[in-house]
Amino acid sequence: MSFPIAYPAVDLFPSQADALIVICANSASLNDELNAIVQPYLNVDARINTKVSLLVHEKVPGKRLILAPTGPLNRDFDDVRRVYDAAKLAFQEAKAAGAVSPALAIMGVDIDARYQHALDVAYLGACQSLWQPLEAREHLGDVIEPINRIILIGADNARCERLNALAAGHYVARDLSGTEPERMAPMRFAQYCKAAFTDSAVEVEVISDRATLDKEYPMLGTVARASYAVERHHPCVIKMTYNPSDEVVRTLMFVGKGLVYDTGGADLKVGGFMAGMSRDKGGAACVAGFMKSVAEYKPKGVKVVAYLAVVRNSIGSDCFVPDEIVHTREGVRVRIGNTDAEGRLAMGDLLSELKDQALNEVNPVLFTVATLTGHAARAMGPYSAYVENGPARAANVSRELVEQGDLWADCAEVSRSRREDFDFVKPRTLADDVLSSNNAPSAVTARGHQFPMAFLSIVGGLDKHGLSSTKPLPYVHMDIAGSGVEGGDWQHGKPMPATISSLFARYC
Ligand SMILES: [Zn+2]
């Protein structure tokens, strides 16, 4: 575990630092002291306001001043990711220059409320850019993550404590999502989680007995069928619980999709579309990451429960195939439409179980978090897509998360759940109750990321807990297929801790 710890500082030139990174709109927003240092460079280098520059000066810690301009911030479409992106570049420069303990200051960025968390976001951007894959660290050692602390100028202790909890969660999410399929096979995923939560405020339970899994989670058992041919590929369900030390006023309940590898199954991913499918566990990774932030921060008044479906969608003689009918925990008969639509199957029975539990919890909100559909990435680009039911919509659950996400560089867009989505999965014969999917890629299917939420509602039993029911239950399906990896590069892009900052800012 070696993310750079956030330390507070007041002085612009902290003595413990070995570099000073200043993120600014442009050099005109620097204070007089820095302006005097930068002016001679401005006279000879016209690029100072358009790219990251390392300037040498005796007065600055480590003699290194790294200037990172954000560019314009005041247009309607600008947001705090300008700061996040500038920080990523600046910390790469600091690392390359040999700094291990840089200080970070922000100047002239707070032009309006959009940038109220600019310093925090810059720190999180730094952590994102400095993270190296788990396999790389295991092979090459922690030396590949040399920056071990970041001194935040203007932050106090409480702010750093919060940031360190958040950064710890981001780190866990990247580790779990970014690993190759054998290093993070299901039971190794579980081992990582157990180690990450040892002696913490979060309890971890792992269910791996096949008879139990098949009985409690028949859809997950169906997806896992071909994986039983290889012992190290066997599935598990990971359950995590956080109970606050005081009275519970709200309960957050998550299901995370943890497909450690998705070959597509019998509907095999061909033509090069399989590469990168080790990141199909990003939803479970982000839920585990959020739990890590919760474990570190120990928020008051909020109980958090997380169920992770950790399974491999393999192909083999016992693999499930389209047309099969599966009887679910909820008593729904599911007709398999396409075996590559396995995430909703892996999560569905866990959602049903959580729904039953939710009926006895205080003020529950349910979430599914998943890299579910290519359609989400096509429709939203690099943003998470939130599809919510009536009670969640009435309570503004998604909109409040989106507002926080805009302030924390964790952006998302809200989609509506519509009647067409339920029509799309309705049964065609009396032999089944619901269809898991059509037989075309989601990316070329109208409402390809919205209709799976209708399916999840039905197999999770949440369709019986709408606004007009006696027990309405708010439920938001979060599709992070577009936001789960940097640059949409599923094989090589760094995994992103999607939804964690928004959830943390809103509820912790
Ligand atoms: Zn799939």
Side-chain angles (χ1 to χ4, degrees):
M1 195 76 188
S2 48
F3 71 90
I5 306 290
Y7 279 88
V10 181
D11 186 10
L12 183 59
F13 298 148
S15 58
Q16 326 91 296
D18 59 6
L20 173 63
I21 292 169
V22 178
I23 295 174
C24 52
N26 55 55
S27 60
S29 48
L30 296 174
N31 68 9
D32 292 345
E33 205 170 10
L34 288 176
N35 209 21
I37 296 172
V38 172
Q39 201 56 49
Y41 289 90
L42 264 176
N43 295 339
V44 295
D45 189 348
R47 299 168 301 173
I48 294 276
N49 278 318
T50 56
K51 65 178 264 295
V52 172
S53 305
L54 190 152
L55 316 181
V56 180
H57 198 276
E58 287 294 329
K59 203 172 164 190
V60 181
K63 301 183 189 172
R64 304 174 178 116
L65 173 62
I66 295 171
L67 267 193
T70 60
L73 295 166
N74 58 352
R75 298 164 297 185
D76 291 353
F77 54 84
D78 290 317
D79 64 61
V80 75
R81 286 174 301 165
R82 301 255 177 238
V83 175
Y84 184 87
D85 293 342
K88 284 168 72 176
L89 294 173
F91 278 83
Q92 283 305 324
E93 186 78 7
K95 179 184 166 185
V100 296
S101 181
L104 170 64
I106 306 273
M107 278 183 198
V109 163
D110 53 341
I111 56 164
D112 60 47
R114 280 177 283 184
Y115 303 102
Q116 60 189 280
H117 299 304
L119 180 63
D120 315 67
V121 165
Y123 167 70
L124 295 171
C127 293
Q128 173 74 18
S129 86
L130 295 170
W131 174 86
Q132 292 296 329
L134 178 62
E135 303 97 328
R137 294 183 339 251
E138 287 175 345
H139 186 71
L140 299 166
D142 285 346
V143 61
I144 61 173
E145 287 182 340
I147 294 184
N148 50 49
R149 67 173 166 182
I150 296 174
I151 298 158
L152 298 182
I153 295 160
D156 59 13
N157 262 319
R159 191 166 171 188
C160 287
E161 237 170 74
R162 243 177 106 73
L163 277 174
N164 284 324
L166 194 48
H170 285 192
Y171 200 84
V172 162
R174 285 187 287 261
D175 271 7
L176 287 169
S177 175
T179 20
E180 60 99 13
E182 293 295 345
R183 173 61 188 88
M184 213 52 91
M187 286 311 290
R188 299 188 76 185
F189 191 110
Q191 280 162 10
Y192 183 101
C193 289
K194 277 188 168 170
F197 294 100
T198 304
D199 299 325
S200 79
V202 168
E203 277 174 44
V204 179
E205 182 197 355
V206 179
I207 303 167
S208 56
D209 170 61
R210 182 170 185 177
T212 309
L213 291 175
D214 284 348
K215 179 170 171 287
E216 300 294 329
Y217 315 110
M219 287 190 284
L220 183 149
T222 301
V223 172
R225 239 161 53 195
S227 75
Y228 280 107
V230 180
E231 192 176 356
R232 63 179 194 281
H233 294 165
H234 289 191
C236 63
V237 166
I238 303 170
K239 296 185 172 183
M240 301 184 184
T241 312
Y242 167 76
N243 278 299
S245 54
D246 58 342
E247 193 192 342
V248 176
V249 296
R250 185 194 307 280
T251 310
L252 306 176
M253 311 184 90
F254 295 90
V255 180
K257 171 185 171 184
L259 261 291
V260 300
Y261 205 72
D262 180 16
T263 68
D267 284 306
L268 193 66
K269 289 180 187 289
V270 294
F273 287 103
M274 201 186 297
M277 282 304 118
S278 59
R279 270 78 183 285
D280 211 9
K281 53 191 173 343
C286 288
V287 172
F290 177 63
M291 292 306 280
K292 178 65 179 176
S293 294
V294 166
E296 295 289 314
Y297 193 65
K298 302 183 192 67
K300 300 267 185 242
V302 57
K303 175 178 176 179
V304 193
V305 182
Y307 288 2
L308 311 181
V310 189
V311 54
R312 177 170 166 133
N313 189 16
S314 294
I315 185 168
S317 39
D318 196 27
C319 65
F320 75 122
V321 292
D323 301 352
E324 280 187 34
I325 297 169
V326 185
H327 291 246
T328 74
R329 184 185 183 280
E330 196 66 27
V332 177
R333 298 165 301 162
V334 171
R335 171 88 68 178
I336 304 300
N338 186 307
T339 67
D340 199 7
E342 79 299 324
R344 67 202 69 175
L345 302 172
M347 292 192 293
D349 293 316
L350 279 71
L351 184 61
S352 156
E353 188 178 16
L354 269 189
K355 175 264 302 169
D356 287 348
Q357 242 194 72
L359 296 171
N360 299 311
E361 300 286 1
V362 180
N363 213 357
V365 190
L366 294 105
F367 300 91
T368 42
V369 188
T371 50
L372 208 77
T373 63
H375 188 269
R378 295 292 287 170
M380 304 308 194
Y383 302 92
S384 301
Y386 300 162
V387 195
E388 59 189 352
N389 71 355
R393 183 171 152 77
N396 277 334
V397 175
S398 293
R399 265 172 292 173
E400 286 176 1
L401 285 168
V402 166
E403 276 167 26
Q404 289 303 321
D406 282 344
L407 301 177
W408 286 90
D410 180 29
C411 304
E413 302 201 351
V414 182
S415 290
R416 292 284 299 275
S417 173
R418 301 280 192 182
R419 61 181 186 177
E420 286 82 359
D421 304 328
F422 286 81
D423 287 345
F424 196 72
V425 295
K426 71 178 183 219
R428 296 350 187 225
T429 73
L430 291 175
D432 54 81
D433 300 308
V434 66
L435 183 66
S436 70
S437 81
N438 58 330
N439 202 8
S442 72
V444 298
T445 301
R447 304 191 63 77
H449 79 269
Q450 292 99 332
F451 87 82
M453 179 274 188
F455 173 82
L456 282 161
S457 295
I458 293 166
V459 295
L462 285 156
D463 56 336
K464 299 173 194 73
H465 295 277
L467 271 178
S468 59
S469 69
T470 52
K471 281 245 176 191
L473 289 174
Y475 162 53
V476 181
H477 168 57
M478 302 171 135
D479 193 332
I480 62 165
S483 55
V485 292
E486 278 187 10
D489 179 351
W490 275 60
Q491 191 171 29
H492 307 293
K494 283 190 182 179
M496 293 281 286
T499 73
I500 300 177
S501 297
S502 305
L503 290 163
F504 192 80
R506 170 67 186 85
Y507 294 117
C508 296

